[in-house]
Amino acid sequence: QVQLVESGGGLVQAGGSLRLSCTVSGRTFNTYTVGWFCQAPGKEREFVAAVYWNFGHTRYSDSVKGRFIISRDNARNTVYLQMNSLKPEDTAVYYCAVTSKYMTTMHQDYSYWGQGTQVTVSS
Protein backbone atom coordinates (compact mmCIF):
# COMPACT_ATOMS: atom_id res chain seq x y z
CA GLN A 1 0.00 0.00 0.00
CA VAL A 2 1.18 3.51 -0.84
CA GLN A 3 0.33 6.58 1.21
CA LEU A 4 0.63 10.16 0.00
CA VAL A 5 0.27 13.24 2.16
CA GLU A 6 0.08 16.71 0.62
CA SER A 7 0.70 20.00 2.35
CA GLY A 8 1.44 23.61 1.53
CA GLY A 9 -1.82 24.90 0.11
CA GLY A 10 -3.36 28.19 1.14
CA LEU A 11 -4.59 31.60 0.07
CA VAL A 12 -2.32 33.83 -2.00
CA GLN A 13 -2.73 36.92 -4.12
CA ALA A 14 -2.35 36.79 -7.89
CA GLY A 15 1.30 36.90 -8.85
CA GLY A 16 2.36 35.22 -5.63
CA SER A 17 3.93 31.83 -4.98
CA LEU A 18 3.23 28.66 -3.04
CA ARG A 19 5.12 25.41 -2.63
CA LEU A 20 3.19 22.18 -2.30
CA SER A 21 4.73 19.05 -0.83
CA CYS A 22 3.80 15.42 -1.31
CA THR A 23 5.40 12.82 0.93
CA VAL A 24 5.26 9.25 -0.37
CA SER A 25 5.45 6.24 1.94
CA GLY A 26 4.69 2.54 1.86
CA ARG A 27 5.44 -0.06 -0.78
CA THR A 28 5.86 1.83 -4.03
CA PHE A 29 6.52 0.32 -7.44
CA ASN A 30 10.08 -0.39 -8.58
CA THR A 31 9.78 2.51 -11.01
CA TYR A 32 7.07 5.09 -10.72
CA THR A 33 5.81 8.52 -11.63
CA VAL A 34 4.44 11.06 -9.16
CA GLY A 35 1.94 13.43 -10.66
CA TRP A 36 0.17 16.57 -9.52
CA PHE A 37 -3.41 17.17 -10.59
CA CYS A 38 -5.87 19.94 -9.84
CA GLN A 39 -9.64 19.99 -9.67
CA ALA A 40 -11.76 23.13 -9.54
CA PRO A 41 -15.45 23.02 -8.57
CA GLY A 42 -17.56 21.62 -11.38
CA LYS A 43 -14.54 20.69 -13.49
CA GLU A 44 -12.71 17.47 -14.23
CA ARG A 45 -9.43 16.61 -12.60
CA GLU A 46 -6.62 18.03 -14.73
CA PHE A 47 -2.97 17.13 -15.10
CA VAL A 48 -0.52 19.73 -13.83
CA ALA A 49 2.95 18.16 -13.68
CA ALA A 50 4.74 14.87 -13.19
CA VAL A 51 8.18 13.59 -12.25
CA TYR A 52 9.65 10.17 -12.94
CA TRP A 53 11.09 9.24 -9.58
CA ASN A 54 14.04 7.14 -10.72
CA PHE A 55 15.57 9.63 -13.15
CA GLY A 56 13.91 12.93 -12.39
CA HIS A 57 12.33 13.39 -15.81
CA THR A 58 9.61 16.03 -15.69
CA ARG A 59 6.52 16.95 -17.65
CA TYR A 60 4.14 19.92 -17.43
CA SER A 61 0.79 20.96 -18.75
CA ASP A 62 0.88 23.89 -21.15
CA SER A 63 -1.03 26.05 -18.69
CA VAL A 64 1.70 25.88 -16.03
CA LYS A 65 4.85 25.49 -18.13
CA GLY A 66 7.30 28.23 -17.22
CA ARG A 67 5.47 29.04 -13.97
CA PHE A 68 5.51 25.80 -11.96
CA ILE A 69 8.46 23.58 -11.14
CA ILE A 70 8.20 19.98 -9.99
CA SER A 71 11.12 18.41 -8.12
CA ARG A 72 11.86 15.51 -5.83
CA ASP A 73 13.94 14.89 -2.73
CA ASN A 74 14.92 11.24 -2.65
CA ALA A 75 16.14 11.35 0.95
CA ARG A 76 12.80 12.70 2.16
CA ASN A 77 10.64 10.71 -0.28
CA THR A 78 8.98 14.00 -1.09
CA VAL A 79 7.89 15.68 -4.31
CA TYR A 80 7.50 19.43 -4.45
CA LEU A 81 5.46 21.66 -6.71
CA GLN A 82 6.78 25.20 -6.71
CA MET A 83 3.98 27.41 -8.01
CA ASN A 84 5.02 30.88 -9.18
CA SER A 85 3.16 33.72 -10.87
CA LEU A 86 -0.10 32.29 -9.64
CA LYS A 87 -3.33 33.28 -11.36
CA PRO A 88 -6.93 33.20 -10.10
CA GLU A 89 -7.61 30.39 -12.58
CA ASP A 90 -5.08 28.22 -10.70
CA THR A 91 -7.55 28.05 -7.82
CA ALA A 92 -8.36 24.39 -7.19
CA VAL A 93 -7.76 21.44 -4.93
CA TYR A 94 -4.37 19.99 -5.77
CA TYR A 95 -3.72 16.26 -5.50
CA CYS A 96 -0.57 14.21 -5.83
CA ALA A 97 -0.76 10.66 -7.09
CA VAL A 98 1.45 7.68 -7.98
CA THR A 99 1.44 5.41 -11.01
CA SER A 100 3.71 2.68 -12.31
CA LYS A 101 3.32 4.10 -15.83
CA TYR A 102 5.91 6.42 -17.29
CA MET A 103 4.91 10.11 -17.18
CA THR A 104 1.26 9.61 -18.02
CA THR A 105 -1.03 12.65 -17.88
CA MET A 106 -4.22 10.58 -17.52
CA HIS A 107 -5.62 10.65 -14.00
CA GLN A 108 -7.22 7.23 -14.62
CA ASP A 109 -3.72 5.72 -14.80
CA TYR A 110 -2.82 6.72 -11.25
CA SER A 111 -3.43 4.14 -8.54
CA TYR A 112 -2.80 6.01 -5.31
CA TRP A 113 -3.92 9.50 -4.34
CA GLY A 114 -3.41 11.94 -1.53
CA GLN A 115 -6.23 13.74 0.24
CA GLY A 116 -5.69 17.01 -1.62
CA THR A 117 -4.75 20.52 -0.55
CA GLN A 118 -6.68 23.69 -1.39
CA VAL A 119 -5.00 26.48 -3.33
CA THR A 120 -6.90 29.75 -3.62
CA VAL A 121 -5.56 32.65 -5.66
CA SER A 122 -7.29 35.98 -5.18
CA SER A 123 -7.35 38.68 -7.85
Side-chain angles (χ1 to χ4, degrees):
Q1 193 74 1
V2 179
Q3 295 84 40
L4 301 99
V5 178
E6 303 107 332
S7 62
L11 173 64
V12 64
Q13 288 189 330
S17 297
L18 282 174
R19 189 178 78 159
L20 306 184
S21 300
C22 172
T23 301
V24 183
S25 62
R27 297 184 64 181
T28 55
F29 308 105
N30 288 334
T31 60
Y32 59 97
T33 297
V34 179
W36 283 99
F37 291 79
C38 68
Q39 188 165 20
K43 293 190 176 182
E44 290 191 2
R45 195 162 294 190
E46 296 180 351
F47 171 76
V48 175
V51 60
Y52 186 54
W53 189 268
N54 301 63
F55 297 101
H57 302 161
T58 59
R59 186 173 186 178
Y60 298 92
S61 69
D62 289 342
S63 62
V64 307
K65 200 174 295 183
R67 299 190 297 125
F68 291 10
I69 301 170
I70 189 169
S71 63
R72 81 209 193 287
D73 183 331
N74 289 3
R76 291 181 168 83
N77 287 336
T78 298
V79 173
Y80 301 100
L81 185 68
Q82 178 67 42
M83 311 166 68
N84 301 319
S85 303
L86 282 161
K87 306 175 182 180
E89 50 264 42
D90 294 319
T91 295
V93 177
Y94 283 73
Y95 300 89
C96 64
V98 166
T99 178
S100 60
K101 296 189 176 184
Y102 177 76
M103 303 296 275
T104 176
T105 65
M106 306 291 291
H107 66 83
Q108 298 92 332
D109 291 335
Y110 287 76
S111 304
Y112 301 99
W113 292 83
Q115 81 285 357
T117 185
Q118 176 70 45
V119 170
T120 303
V121 184
S122 63
S123 57

